Amino acid sequence: VAALISLSFGGAVGLMFLMLGCALPQYNQYWPLFVLFFYILSPIPYCIARRLVDDTDATSNACKELAIFLTTGIVVSAFGLPIVFARAELIYWGACALVLTGNTVIFATILGFFLVFGSNDDFSWQQW
């Protein structure tokens, strides 16, 4: 229960940084909200690969490696998008810093979710 509460707190703090980067009066641009798509897309390849892959094999699996590669591309894109927006002067650099901080917290929360609920025990995310 404590892990679930800390994960929800981490998600709320990460979204707070994202919203501060958008809604503060000196920034007032909502372009950084496009990173929400990356938050939704990032766990999908790994979840699909876990359903398709047998975990009993100790060697590397091409499907799981591809899923990790795609997830890494999505995460890097989420960090790159606010920097591109700031370089194109669509958003201010202060807003970019807040969004990057929010990205760090959100992706750490997503990683924490998979570390806590990813094991094959009685209480796992696969039952949801």
Side-chain angles (χ1 to χ4, degrees):
V1 174
L4 192 60
I5 291 172
S6 64
L7 288 173
S8 63
F9 180 73
V13 168
L15 288 176
M16 178 197 66
F17 278 118
L18 177 64
M19 295 311 284
L20 282 175
C22 295
L24 283 177
Q26 64 263 31
Y27 303 139
N28 201 22
Q29 294 290 329
Y30 288 90
W31 287 106
L33 284 180
F34 281 109
V35 299
L36 288 173
F37 293 119
F38 295 116
Y39 297 161
I40 294 168
L41 291 176
S42 65
I44 291 175
Y46 191 70
C47 290
I48 291 172
R50 278 192 67 116
R51 294 288 182 181
L52 297 176
V53 173
D54 185 18
D55 282 338
T56 59
D57 189 16
T59 62
S60 177
N61 190 340
C63 181
K64 203 171 206 179
E65 296 290 330
L66 178 65
I68 292 171
F69 176 75
L70 292 175
T71 302
T72 304
I74 292 169
V75 171
V76 168
S77 298
F79 279 95
L81 186 67
I83 295 171
V84 170
F85 283 162
R87 293 274 304 173
E89 297 180 358
L90 289 174
I91 63 173
Y92 293 104
W93 283 102
C96 178
L98 285 169
V99 173
L100 292 177
T101 304
N103 281 349
T104 304
V105 174
I106 289 288
F107 286 123
T109 303
I110 292 171
L111 176 66
F113 177 80
F114 281 106
L115 291 177
V116 171
F117 295 110
S119 63
N120 292 327
D121 57 358
D122 292 336
F123 184 71
S124 73
W125 64 275
Q126 292 175 345
Q127 294 175 359
W128 299 354

